[in-house]
Each structure stands twice: as structure tokens, then as C-alpha cells.
Amino acid sequence: MDQTTGAAPVHTFRDDALGEYDATGTAEAIAAGKVSSHEVVEAAIARAESVRAVLDPIAYEGFDRALRESHAPHSGVFAGVPTILKDNVDAAGQPTGQGSVAFTPHPAARDSAFVTQFRSTGAISLGKSRLPEFGFNATTEYMVDPPVRNPWNTEHSPGASSGGSAALVAAGVVPFAHANDGGGSIRIPAAACGLVGLKPTRGRLVADQMDRTMPIRIVAQGVVTRSVRDTARFFAEAEKAYRNPKLPPVRLVSGPASTRLRVGVVTDSVTGLPTDDETRAAVAATADLLDGLGHHVEDAALPVGKEFEHDFSLYWALLAFAITKSGRKLGADFDPARTDTLTRGLDAMYRKNYTKTPQVLYRLARTRQRYADMFARYDVVLSPVVANTTPRLGHLSPAQDFEQLFSRLVAHVSFTPLNNAAGGPGISLPLHQDSRGLPLAAHFSAAHGDERTLLELAFELEQAVGWRRIQDAAVAR
């Protein structure tokens, strides 16, 4: 129970067809005939309905379609396993709302390229999970509508932008869920909700249409899970549908490696703002754990400086400007005046600074090589996911003044964007907890194309310390 508010965690784990299985366990139970896909989809829907009013994580309910699909699920490593898609990718027959009230979404004509790859795993989507407007924020909150709440403490943020997906997985509604990451949006909600979140190398998975239009492709698709093996199996299965020939294959990772790694440790970000004490202590504890496991650990320096904060911020603003200018492609009734404070503020920021665009794009493009140079010395780099422990709802709300909100975001989201600009992989692992009982994660980066090392290390750490389970400290719904 939270020591400051008394808010107890909530979960939906119960004695039903889903039980406490992860996605791998659910698929194995279906394949063995212990349960049917229809039974586990029904159980997931019942769980979703039991937390709808508490966590509010679902943007669109595609329950009827999921039940129909459950009678004859597609083959794949997760055949018949319930999941959910984030509401910024197209699924045939379902609206894509992008977390915004600035337009009226209409049902998509077809699955997007990535959704086709995602469905190749055999999983069955219950619909769409909520995200903040256009995925720009680090919390899943809105100007007027109720927020998505963190299952570990409903007074706190679930992170973002994949906050709805993370809340559903952490609460036990689905074993794994789609997420994507343009500045930390897989890794931040995974950290806030006690999950595994791997942002892959740029180009590892199929890029969606909007991702391909960006001058620097910062967005990567992926999943949030409760176990390393689920993440590993997802990437191995997705690779069967599409493998980028420019990257080494990940293949199935099934456990830790015997190789001892060279680990660089970064505790402070390029912003010049302090990492809070609990987060610093978590990084130090992780470094000690790695040292005890026989890895070589030493302090490291980031390959970029203060200018990176400025450049990524302006690129973030450029994306808001682009959406505002082309919003009618999302819906004929798109009204930029109905976007939230963050979108409008970023748009205004870009309009004031647009002449700097060529230099910003040039410098951001150069981060790929600077990032790669760092891994000539290290196999992985350890850092915080974010600079502060998970905030209360309201701290990053778009209902506040833009200048205050933006300064808070810069102070919080100060580590993950480097991987997006440089295109390198990064993983969030729920190794610790803070003084309030909320998950507190560690972040690991690796060289381009080296997701395999991150997964092998994740298996080793999962076996060494395990993850704290929400059902051991929570009230069932």
C-alpha cells in the first residue's frame, strides 16, 4: 500500500482461464488443450471490464471481433493469446483516435503494415489502448477526459505514451500488449508499471506509414510484457514475418549468455538537471548487482552534450507542427484549436524556431555515429529510464501551462530520447521499487542490431533477482 496516499494496487489475476500465465504460458496452455482460445479471450474481456472504471485504459473495445477470432485463431507463437493494439496504428474496421479529441476518427480500411506483422504472432487483439494526444506526453493524461491510472497506485501515472497498454498488462488483463516508442514510449510506461519494455533498433520491425514519413525515423514498434521470454519470443516470431537484411538477426533468445560484459554506467543526463536520489540509488544498486555477477562495470560518459536536449526538443516540436498542418488527413473535421496544451505549445515553439531545422536535423542525424562509437568501448550502457521516480497524476498533465509542463517533461524524460535519435536499442527492466512501493527500473542500451545481448542480460537479471509481482501486494478486482 502506498505510504503517502494509502492507495492500494489493483489487479485482475484470478482463478480463470488466464490464471497467472504470461503470454508464453497462455499459448502453451492453449496448445496443450488445457484451455481454449475462446476461454482465455472471454477471461481477458471480463478482466478488462472489471478495471474499466478504475484504470480506464481502453480507447476502443473490439471485444466482439476478438471473440469471433478466438474460435479459429491464426497460427503463431502466441496463437489465441489475448492482447491489445495501441490507438495510433490502423486495425481494419477500427477507428484510430491518436489520443486526440481534435478530430473524429473513422474505421480504418485495412491493417497497417506493422499490425499485419504483429498479428503474425497469432495473438488476438481486444481493441485499442489509450495514449496521450499523438503520443507526445510522458503520462497518459488529457485536458478534460479522465487519465489512465497506474495499477500499482491509482494516484500515479502509468507513464506514456503506451500507458494504456502498460496498465492492461501490469493489471493482468492481457499477458502482453503492443507499444511503440518515439522518445521513451515503450520504456517509460514499462518502468512505471513494472514491465519489460524493449525498444528495438531502427528498422528491426516493419515501420508504419507515419513512421516512414519522418525526416529522422525516431519511432520504433514493439511490446510491453511481464516476462523476458515473452519479449524474446515476440521478436523471434516477428522476424519470421519480416527480417531487415541490414541488421543481424535476433533469433530466439532463451536464456542468459556466459559472456561477461563491459558495462558503462551513466547516472546524470545531458540536461544538467539532477537525477533524484532514489533513481541514482537504483542505478548504483544495479551496477553493484552486475559487478557481483562478474561483469566489468565502470563509469561512462554520454556521447552527446547539452545541445542534444535543444535539438530533440525542436524535433519533437516539428512533429507537432506537422500534425497540426496536416491534421485533415486524420479527419475532415480536424480542428487545431481542440488539440491539447502540449500539442499547441510544441507547434508554437517550432514556428518560432523553424529556421533552425536544417542544423537540428544534421546534428540529430550525427548522433547515430556518436552512439555507435560509445559501443566500441562498452557492450551495454546502464542508465536510469527517467530522471525521477514515477510522478503523481497531474504533475505532467496537459491541463497546466505549457512552459511549466514542458520544463517538467525535459527534467523527467532525459535519458531515453538518445536511443530514438540514434536508432539504437534500449530495454527497461523492473529491477527495483521506490519508497512508495512503485516499480523503479533500470535502462540498458546496446549497439545497433544487438537486441540479443540486451535480452540475454535481461534473462540473467530476471533469474538473479526476479520481478516483484503486483498480485503479491494488490487487491484483486
Side-chain angles (χ1 to χ4, degrees):
M1 185 169 289
D2 186 295
Q3 297 174 4
T4 58
T5 67
V10 297
H11 73 83
T12 62
F13 293 101
R14 59 185 71 163
D15 185 17
D16 59 11
L18 273 174
E20 296 188 352
Y21 291 131
D22 62 358
T24 299
T26 304
E28 290 173 347
I30 294 170
K34 296 179 181 178
V35 294
S36 70
S37 174
H38 189 72
E39 288 172 327
V40 296
V41 169
E42 281 187 320
I45 291 170
R47 291 183 179 200
E49 290 174 337
S50 73
V51 294
R52 180 186 337 190
V54 181
L55 303 179
D56 208 354
I58 297 178
Y60 175 81
E61 295 179 355
F63 296 166
D64 290 342
R65 173 176 171 170
L67 287 168
R68 290 195 301 272
E69 290 183 0
S70 71
H71 291 294
H74 296 295
S75 62
V77 70
F78 296 140
V81 176
T83 186
I84 199 160
L85 295 164
K86 186 175 172 181
D87 193 24
N88 62 354
V89 292
D90 285 348
Q94 299 181 4
T96 307
Q98 299 282 353
S100 180
V101 297
F103 68 99
T104 303
H106 297 287
R110 61 187 65 84
D111 286 350
S112 70
F114 170 74
V115 170
T116 299
Q117 184 180 27
F118 185 85
R119 291 193 194 278
S120 73
T121 65
I124 296 173
S125 175
L126 300 186
K128 297 287 197 74
S129 64
R130 294 176 78 200
L131 71 153
E133 185 169 78
F134 305 120
F136 289 144
N137 209 337
T139 186
T140 313
E141 298 182 57
Y142 309 90
M143 294 286 288
V144 177
D145 290 342
V148 177
R149 296 180 180 273
N150 191 322
W152 286 89
N153 185 310
T154 56
E155 298 302 315
H156 287 73
S157 171
S161 62
S162 309
S165 287
L168 286 162
V169 177
V173 175
V174 291
F176 82 112
H178 167 236
N180 46 34
D181 191 315
S185 295
I186 292 173
R187 294 159 290 161
I188 293 171
C193 294
L195 305 174
V196 177
L198 171 60
K199 185 209 85 71
T201 303
R202 181 182 295 142
R204 172 65 70 190
L205 300 177
V206 175
D208 254 24
Q209 179 61 34
M210 187 175 290
D211 305 342
R212 291 195 293 267
T213 64
M214 295 180 179
I216 296 177
R217 285 170 48 185
I218 63 171
V219 175
Q221 305 293 333
V223 292
V224 287
T225 72
R226 293 194 297 267
S227 66
V228 177
R229 69 176 184 171
D230 281 358
T231 298
R233 289 183 180 216
F234 170 80
F235 279 94
E237 188 75 359
E239 204 166 58
K240 295 177 184 177
Y242 167 78
R243 187 178 81 76
N244 187 335
K246 296 180 180 180
L247 295 173
V250 179
R251 302 186 301 273
L252 179 62
V253 181
S254 57
S258 58
T259 305
R260 297 299 83 187
L261 304 175
R262 300 165 299 164
V263 182
V265 181
V266 173
T267 308
D268 294 307
S269 74
V270 298
T271 65
L273 300 170
T275 300
D276 73 22
D277 290 344
E278 287 195 81
T279 303
R280 295 178 73 87
V283 172
T286 305
D288 289 344
L289 173 61
L290 293 167
D291 182 71
L293 291 169
H295 299 285
H296 175 75
V297 181
E298 63 179 61
D299 290 338
L302 288 170
V304 294
K306 178 73 173 176
E307 79 285 348
F308 178 78
E309 175 199 327
H310 167 270
D311 292 345
F312 195 87
S313 294
L314 192 62
Y315 189 74
W316 192 359
L318 166 61
L319 299 181
F321 168 79
I323 286 175
T324 300
K325 288 288 288 182
S326 62
R328 288 189 177 274
K329 293 180 180 179
L330 298 172
D333 63 343
F334 179 83
D335 181 359
R338 293 169 59 195
T339 58
D340 71 17
T341 298
L342 182 55
T343 301
R344 294 197 305 272
L346 289 169
D347 175 48
M349 178 193 295
Y350 181 74
R351 291 172 188 271
K352 291 178 182 178
N353 295 279
Y354 73 93
T355 59
K356 300 175 182 177
T357 304
Q359 305 98 298
V360 164
L361 294 180
Y362 172 74
R363 288 192 295 266
L364 286 177
R366 289 180 63 198
T367 61
R368 187 189 189 283
Q369 186 57 54
R370 292 185 176 184
Y371 178 95
D373 291 344
M374 182 167 59
F375 292 99
R377 179 165 184 172
Y378 302 111
D379 298 303
V380 296
V381 171
L382 162 66
S383 73
V385 177
V386 287
N388 319 105
T389 56
T390 299
R392 289 179 179 276
L393 291 168
H395 181 72
L396 300 176
S397 169
Q400 65 190 289
D401 172 79
F402 171 74
E403 296 299 332
Q404 176 172 275
L405 170 57
F406 192 71
S407 66
R408 288 177 171 181
L409 282 169
V410 168
H412 189 58
V413 186
S414 52
F415 291 94
T416 51
L418 175 60
N419 299 71
N420 299 88
I427 193 169
S428 173
L429 299 176
L431 290 167
H432 309 284
Q433 67 180 77
D434 68 18
S435 59
R436 304 162 299 179
L438 287 164
L440 181 53
H443 184 264
F444 296 92
S445 302
H448 295 101
D450 198 14
E451 288 90 342
R452 190 171 186 88
T453 291
L454 292 179
L455 288 167
E456 288 170 344
L457 179 59
F459 267 115
E460 182 177 7
L461 293 172
E462 184 181 41
Q463 291 178 13
V465 299
W467 319 142
R468 183 165 168 254
R469 304 190 328 154
I470 194 171
Q471 57 266 49
D472 292 335
V475 176
R477 301 294 299 189

